[in-house]
């Protein structure tokens, strides 16, 4: 992703002016407050004949109820479409005016918009910008072919990979649960996600830490270095329409409650300047968007609840609103859920899922630039890598894609799926710098059942079943899977295009109850968590493979934790 540099010292005005960059200075004042406005213009993606750009405005003068930014191109750039602003062009002159929903611009406040354009020759960054007729400062700038500049102070402390060079927050509540288990001290210091799965979790419920308490603890753990905090944003209206165990507290039409009671309070806390030094990673609304692809009519996997959410648009609106509000906080990095290979790896699901995510990422004031990346396999069990067979293998002339296990999927593991998903997202207009996260908390599949080499080539099914380390009965099985083990430990930049392996799902926290349990958390009973359940079209009518005697989702499940440690791969010391 191309980055730019913003000079914010009024003392640089003469230097900048000499190079054709105008800085407006209030007489008698010096420093940052002397500049009435800053405009940060970034070329996000440039393919030689066209480009996308993001523009961030910061208003340091009186509050505004409407605004207009203007600039002129030195070349032949032409704006073809815009988002989050009304962007028009006359000759070389461009005007970007606010939409009805983002006209308010407080003193010290910022807003962003983006656009796509065409050009030939060079794509120089404009020299001068004005906000409502007042000249603003402009970046010293790195163009798309320049080496990356330093972190841009105009947008906080944003970096390309929030995990690079940073510690990651260890949730003391999960750590205490892990350490209390026999042998649990071996992993009790691992970083895991903090799940904000209902409104009460924001301030803390049932004696648990709230969001501010976690962020305060994160500041203590940070010390003088960098630290990333992982938050799970997870409370959409009609949440998880195909999985009753994780249904939420908001009904299908409660989009306004979701915005005002859930997202707005979270955004307000994250925007507190006290937490500006933290790298806050949000994984945004797991599972729900993929349901709009696979579990709606006319497919045989459709559910009435998913059809309802497709029709009312509240998944799209909710995710868009969350991305917009959270993306406005300079030190927040949004990663959108991208399912997993055993859900979305088929030809009729793969690119459609990216289209659906993009629809959400350009709704409710959000833009694709509010998406820092995507996460796969969250709270799931898909193997990171299948070492003993590939999608290109065949047995006696029969492709592994024809095996019962692969079932015509394009992918056999999460790493290949995540890397391909990233490429597809970029091809559909997401910034070229987007990264991927893979949840490896429970996909190790070690222990005595782990194969040590390829299966026999008697036939394609014998070969695949003997080779695969993923020992589930079907890739559609997702609840408290028997035989699973801890996977790769969290680490930054482990493979091309992958920002990190993460443990977003805290190992030992249940996926759902094995039988109905009355509760005030909005969590229903899903038969996929019942060990005796014989399945449905979404898992090709296999047994559920779930462990018995499981508690409600998110509650501590000691037996599962012990099995995860026993079957860890790489093994625990």
């Amino acid at each position: 992703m191309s980055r730019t540099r913003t000079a914010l010292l009024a003392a640089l005005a003469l230097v900048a002016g000499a190079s054709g960059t105008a800085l407006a200075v209030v007489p008698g004042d010096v420093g940052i407050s002397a500049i009435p406005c800053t405009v940060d213009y970034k070329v996000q993606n440039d393919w030689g004949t066209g480009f996308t750009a993001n523009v961030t405005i910061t208003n340091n003068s009186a509050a505004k109820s409407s605004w207009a930014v203007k600039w002129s191109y030195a070349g032949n750039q032409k704006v073809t479409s815009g988002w989050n602003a009304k962007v028009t062009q006359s000759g070389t002159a461009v005007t970007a005016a606010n939409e009805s929903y983002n006209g308010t611009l407080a003193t010290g406040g910022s807003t962003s918009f983006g656009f796509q354009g065409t050009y030939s020759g060079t794509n120089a960054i404009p020299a001068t910008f004005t906000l409502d007729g007042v000249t603003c400062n402009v970046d010293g700038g790195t163009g798309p072919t320049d080496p990356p500049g330093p972190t841009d102070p105009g947008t906080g402390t944003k970096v390309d990979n929030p995990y690079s060079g940073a510690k990651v927050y260890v949730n003391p509540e999960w750590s205490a649960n892990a350490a209390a288990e026999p042998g649990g001290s071996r992993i009790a210091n691992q970083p895991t996600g903090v799940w904000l799965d209902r409104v009460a979790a924001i301030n803390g419920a049932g004696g648990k830490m709230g969001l501010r308490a976690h962020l305060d603890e994160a500041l203590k753990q940070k010390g003088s270095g960098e630290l990333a905090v992982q938050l799970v944003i997870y409370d959409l209206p009609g949440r998880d329409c195909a999985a009753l165990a994780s249904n939420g507290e908001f009904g299908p039409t409660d989009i306004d409650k979701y915005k005002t009671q859930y997202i707005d309070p979270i955004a307000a806390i994250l925007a507190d300047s006290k937490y500006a030094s933290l790298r806050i990673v949000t994984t945004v609304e797991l599972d729900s968007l993929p349901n709009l692809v696979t579990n709606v009519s006319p497919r045989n996997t459709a559910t009435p609840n998913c059809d309802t959410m497709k029709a009312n648009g509240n998944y799209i609106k909710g995710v868009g609103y969350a991305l917009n509000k959270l993306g406005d906080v300079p030190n927040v990095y949004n990663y959108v859920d991208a399912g997993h290979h055993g859900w979305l790896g088929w030809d009729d699901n793969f690119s459609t899922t990216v289209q659906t995510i993009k629809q959400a990422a350009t709704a409710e004031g959000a833009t694709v630039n509010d998406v820092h990346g995507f996460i796969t396999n969250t709270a799931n069990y898909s193997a990171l890598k299948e070492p003993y067979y590939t999608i290109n293998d065949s047995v006696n002339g029969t492709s592994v894609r024809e095996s019962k296990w692969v079932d015509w999927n394009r992918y056999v593991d999460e790493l290949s799926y995540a890397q391909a998903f990233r490429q597809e997202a970029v091809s559909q207009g997401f910034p070229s710098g987007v990264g991927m996260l893979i949840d490896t908390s429970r996909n190790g599949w070690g222990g005595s059942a782990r194969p040590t080499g390829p299966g026999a080539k008697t036939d394609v099914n014998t070969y695949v079943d003997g080779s695969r380390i993923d020992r589930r009965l079907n890739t559609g099985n997702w609840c408290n899977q028997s035989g699973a083990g801890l996977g790769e430990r969290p680490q930054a930049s482990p493979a091309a295009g992958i920002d990190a392996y993460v443990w977003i799902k805290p190992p030992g926290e249940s996926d759902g109850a094995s039988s109905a349990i009355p509760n005030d958390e909005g969590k229903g009973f899903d038969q996929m968590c019942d060990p005796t359940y014989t399945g449905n079209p979404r898992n090709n009518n296999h047994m559920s493979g779930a462990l018995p005697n499981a508690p409600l989702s998110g509650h501590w499940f000691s037996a599962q934790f012990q099995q995860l440690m026993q079957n860890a791969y790489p093994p625990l010391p």
Side-chain angles (χ1 to χ4, degrees), residues 187-276:
I187 63 165
N189 64 341
Q190 293 291 348
T192 55
V194 174
W195 287 59
L196 302 174
D197 60 356
R198 51 188 174 134
V199 170
I202 300 172
N203 292 321
K208 288 193 171 184
M209 298 167 67
L211 178 55
R212 281 194 180 275
H214 281 294
L215 296 177
D216 289 341
E217 173 63 23
L219 289 174
K220 295 177 184 177
Q221 293 184 20
K222 177 181 183 296
S224 59
E226 298 292 344
L227 185 135
V229 181
Q230 303 174 123
L231 305 178
V232 178
I233 307 301
Y234 189 54
D235 204 18
L236 272 178
R239 187 180 72 193
D240 282 9
C241 55
L244 300 178
S246 45
N247 285 169
E249 62 192 339
F250 292 135
T253 62
D254 288 338
I255 186 66
D256 291 336
K257 290 182 180 179
Y258 174 77
K259 292 177 178 180
T260 60
Q261 297 178 21
Y262 181 69
I263 293 297
D264 287 353
I266 291 173
I269 293 172
L270 299 186
D272 190 330
S273 60
K274 179 181 182 181
Y275 307 122

Side-chain angles (χ1 to χ4, degrees), residues 369-409:
N369 297 305
D370 287 316
V371 178
H372 200 79
F374 306 90
I375 182 168
T376 76
N377 204 47
T378 310
N380 210 267
Y381 299 86
S382 293
L384 178 65
K385 301 175 186 176
E386 284 288 1
Y388 303 126
Y389 78 109
T390 76
I391 196 67
N392 299 315
D393 292 350
S394 63
V395 177
N396 300 325
T398 302
S399 167
V400 299
R401 293 192 67 206
E402 298 181 59
S403 67
K404 292 180 181 178
W405 172 257
V406 178
D407 192 26
W408 297 102
N409 202 317

Side-chain angles (χ1 to χ4, degrees), residues 248-445:
E249 62 192 339
F250 292 135
T253 62
D254 288 338
I255 186 66
D256 291 336
K257 290 182 180 179
Y258 174 77
K259 292 177 178 180
T260 60
Q261 297 178 21
Y262 181 69
I263 293 297
D264 287 353
I266 291 173
I269 293 172
L270 299 186
D272 190 330
S273 60
K274 179 181 182 181
Y275 307 122
S277 65
L278 298 171
R279 299 177 182 179
I280 300 172
V281 173
T282 61
T283 57
V284 178
E285 293 299 353
L286 314 175
D287 294 342
S288 293
L289 287 178
N291 278 319
L292 298 184
V293 176
T294 64
N295 295 324
V296 294
S297 297
R299 299 200 182 196
N300 67 346
T301 53
T303 70
N305 289 343
C306 291
D307 281 338
T308 295
M309 299 316 299
K310 177 84 169 181
N312 68 25
N314 284 341
Y315 280 0
I316 298 294
K317 295 173 187 175
V319 171
Y321 189 84
L323 291 173
N324 180 23
K325 290 296 182 180
L326 301 175
D328 284 345
V329 182
N331 56 315
V332 166
Y333 301 78
N334 290 321
Y335 289 79
V336 180
D337 180 61
H340 58 89
H341 89 274
W343 185 357
L344 302 172
W346 282 268
D347 293 343
D348 55 350
N349 298 341
F350 189 71
S351 63
T352 305
T353 299
V354 178
Q355 294 168 16
T356 302
I357 294 175
K358 187 175 181 183
Q359 184 183 359
T362 52
E364 298 290 314
T367 78
V368 292
N369 297 305
D370 287 316
V371 178
H372 200 79
F374 306 90
I375 182 168
T376 76
N377 204 47
T378 310
N380 210 267
Y381 299 86
S382 293
L384 178 65
K385 301 175 186 176
E386 284 288 1
Y388 303 126
Y389 78 109
T390 76
I391 196 67
N392 299 315
D393 292 350
S394 63
V395 177
N396 300 325
T398 302
S399 167
V400 299
R401 293 192 67 206
E402 298 181 59
S403 67
K404 292 180 181 178
W405 172 257
V406 178
D407 192 26
W408 297 102
N409 202 317
R410 286 281 179 192
Y411 307 95
V412 299
D413 55 30
E414 281 307 292
L415 181 57
S416 62
Y417 169 77
Q419 290 171 327
F421 193 94
R422 180 189 173 281
Q423 292 175 347
E424 179 67 20
V426 171
S427 75
Q428 291 200 32
F430 283 93
S432 59
V434 293
M436 301 296 298
L437 304 178
I438 302 176
D439 189 345
T440 59
S441 57
R442 303 181 303 178
N443 68 350
W445 294 105

Side-chain angles (χ1 to χ4, degrees), residues 441-534:
S441 57
R442 303 181 303 178
N443 68 350
W445 294 105
S448 60
R450 183 184 178 92
T452 57
K457 290 196 171 183
T458 309
D459 59 65
V460 72
N461 288 314
T462 301
Y463 173 68
V464 171
D465 288 341
S467 301
R468 60 184 173 92
I469 62 169
D470 186 337
R471 306 313 297 171
R472 287 179 293 177
L473 300 174
N474 184 268
T475 56
N477 288 355
W478 54 265
C479 193
N480 301 322
Q481 289 300 283
S482 177
L486 301 169
E488 289 283 351
R489 314 310 177 247
Q491 55 186 289
S493 305
I498 310 299
D499 283 350
Y501 296 153
V502 294
W503 284 8
I504 293 299
K505 175 67 175 182
E509 293 189 2
S510 173
D511 295 317
S514 300
S515 58
I517 299 176
N519 67 92
D520 61 358
E521 301 175 33
K523 296 170 181 175
F525 167 60
D526 194 296
Q527 288 182 299
M528 288 295 289
C529 301
D530 177 358
T532 67
Y533 182 52
T534 56

